[in-house]
Amino acid sequence: MSFSTDIKLPSKVVICEVAPRDGFQAEKEWIPTETKLEIIKKLATTGIQSMEITSFVHPRAIPQLKDAEEVVRQSQELTGIKFRALVPNAKGAQRAIDAGIKKLKLMLSASDSHSLSNANCLTKEAMDGFAPIIELADQRGVKVGGSISVAFGCPYEGIVPIERLNMIVERYIAYGIEEISLADSTGMANPRQVYNSVGQLRNNFPDMTFTMHLHNTRGMAISNAFAAMQQGIIYFDSSITGLGGCPYAPGATGNVATEDLVHTLSEMGIETGINLDTLINVAKDVRQLIGHDGGSYMLQAGPCSQLHVAPKEQLKLG
Ligand code: ZN
């Protein structure tokens, strides 16, 4: 038996920063619009190429994002970055497009129980509701991507069967969607499951672009990203300092921290176009501005490349 000495990994990965939506929406205390924009502008200096900057949900549902229009309008001055916003319904899509966003992300839950608690409708009903959004986006020349929340595990139903994912992806394809974000919203996926599910989806839908949206609730996000990369996935979402949660998933924490993901990738020689040092400095600023971080390893330990001065005397470690 012979052993391969290296693994199959992509040479380049594209990261979408989602803290301004996924992270901020989990913050109970109001973040002033200027602070949100300050963070978006800082993130724009790191080399990040795409950002999900807000969600056009009803302001009563998530008051933190009631300034969605203002955030989108004021972000327009930042060039060279692809911005997208999450839209839950046609009303939200109309608001988003009027504010000037060029890309919308649709949302639905893979399981009916999560869909009922999150959107007050069944998965199928959520998919039926996409028709007017897509029609509107087509008319206005705005791109639309799809997403599947709790794509691997639902906090109420457990593991999501692959047939369910196939059915949802087929429906997205029927709408002309070419990109779908697979969200492990509650951090229930494990690397083997991700490898298998993503492999099957890639086989079944070779023309679909899949993005991974991995929450680090149980510390498995980086391993799951690694498993997905081995299936050829190169698009990942992440959240600066690991900010985030899920209002309808008990105990859920944020997305994998952007600086932790970029660090892991850079240690493996995988290009992201993001400057890690700048990113870590931005993460420190974000922690300062928000008042806490979401469990970032980089903020705790720093990068591997930051070597320490060796002690002069031997340390007796028990
Ligand atoms: Zn999320």
Side-chain angles (χ1 to χ4, degrees):
M1 193 175 171
S2 72
F3 294 93
S4 169
T5 54
D6 204 2
I7 34 173
K8 208 181 80 192
L9 288 168
S11 57
K12 194 175 183 295
V13 154
V14 180
I15 289 177
C16 179
E17 171 61 48
V18 297
R21 194 278 301 172
D22 211 0
F24 294 174
Q25 75 173 26
E27 294 300 317
K28 287 197 179 66
E29 215 157 292
W30 169 246
I31 307 166
T33 310
E34 313 84 79
T35 308
K36 288 175 180 142
L37 286 157
E38 188 183 343
I39 292 172
I40 291 169
K41 283 175 190 162
K42 281 178 188 288
L43 286 163
T45 66
T46 62
I48 279 171
Q49 296 116 54
S50 52
M51 252 189 259
E52 186 169 298
I53 45 171
T54 191
S55 170
F56 284 84
V57 288
H58 195 287
R60 263 204 310 275
I62 303 180
Q64 182 65 264
L65 302 183
K66 66 183 179 191
D67 55 2
E69 272 93 352
E70 203 47 43
V71 168
V72 167
R73 275 194 203 108
Q74 291 204 41
S75 300
Q76 303 296 316
E77 64 190 65
L78 299 166
T79 50
I81 295 177
K82 289 180 186 142
F83 292 113
R84 70 175 191 224
L86 200 65
V87 291
N89 49 39
K91 179 95 201 303
Q94 182 75 60
R95 284 174 57 210
I97 294 171
D98 288 345
I101 202 87
K102 294 286 177 282
K103 187 171 179 187
L104 310 178
K105 189 169 105 176
L106 303 171
M107 53 190 274
L108 63 74
S109 298
S111 70
D112 281 329
S113 353
H114 193 265
S115 186
L116 283 168
S117 64
N118 200 27
N120 204 22
C121 63
L122 299 170
T123 306
K124 193 192 161 299
E125 292 165 349
M127 291 190 286
D128 293 342
F130 291 159
I133 304 181
I134 288 164
E135 198 178 320
L136 181 69
D138 279 350
Q139 283 166 7
R140 305 279 294 269
V142 168
K143 281 190 143 201
V144 183
S147 73
I148 307 177
S149 287
V150 298
F152 301 96
C154 163
Y156 315 116
E157 294 182 27
I159 288 178
V160 173
I162 190 75
E163 295 74 32
R164 186 100 184 147
L165 298 178
N166 285 335
M167 180 270 289
I168 296 169
V169 174
E170 273 163 17
R171 190 73 195 275
Y172 268 132
I173 290 173
Y175 276 125
I177 300 291
E178 294 170 342
E179 182 190 322
I180 296 173
S181 160
L182 301 171
D184 184 26
S185 321
T186 57
M188 289 171 73
N190 66 69
R192 184 174 222 163
Q193 181 195 8
V194 166
Y195 188 84
N196 290 337
S197 297
V198 171
Q200 288 186 61
L201 289 173
R202 297 260 295 159
N203 272 326
N204 297 344
F205 309 103
D207 297 330
M208 181 58 72
T209 298
F210 290 105
T211 298
M212 301 302 293
H213 178 99
L214 303 164
H215 281 248
N216 198 32
T217 318
R218 294 175 177 82
M220 291 192 275
I222 297 253
S223 345
N224 287 336
F226 186 71
M229 279 193 289
Q230 287 178 279
Q231 289 290 13
I233 300 289
I234 60 159
Y235 294 98
F236 292 88
D237 287 351
S238 61
S239 175
I240 192 81
T241 83
L243 286 178
C246 177
Y248 306 101
T253 52
N255 237 263
V256 58
T258 307
E259 61 277 21
D260 291 346
L261 182 61
V262 170
H263 174 259
T264 305
L265 295 169
S266 123
E267 284 295 310
M268 292 194 290
I270 299 171
E271 279 284 323
T272 58
I274 298 169
N275 184 303
L276 183 62
D277 294 335
T278 314
L279 188 66
I280 292 173
N281 284 331
V282 170
K284 286 177 186 162
D285 292 346
V286 170
R287 178 173 59 185
Q288 182 87 34
L289 286 161
I290 300 291
H292 64 95
D293 67 76
S296 157
Y297 289 107
M298 284 303 102
L299 291 184
Q300 205 183 318
C304 298
S305 59
Q306 187 189 303
L307 300 178
H308 299 268
V309 179
K312 289 203 171 56
E313 281 163 45
Q314 188 194 351
L315 295 167
K316 296 239 188 304
L317 292 173

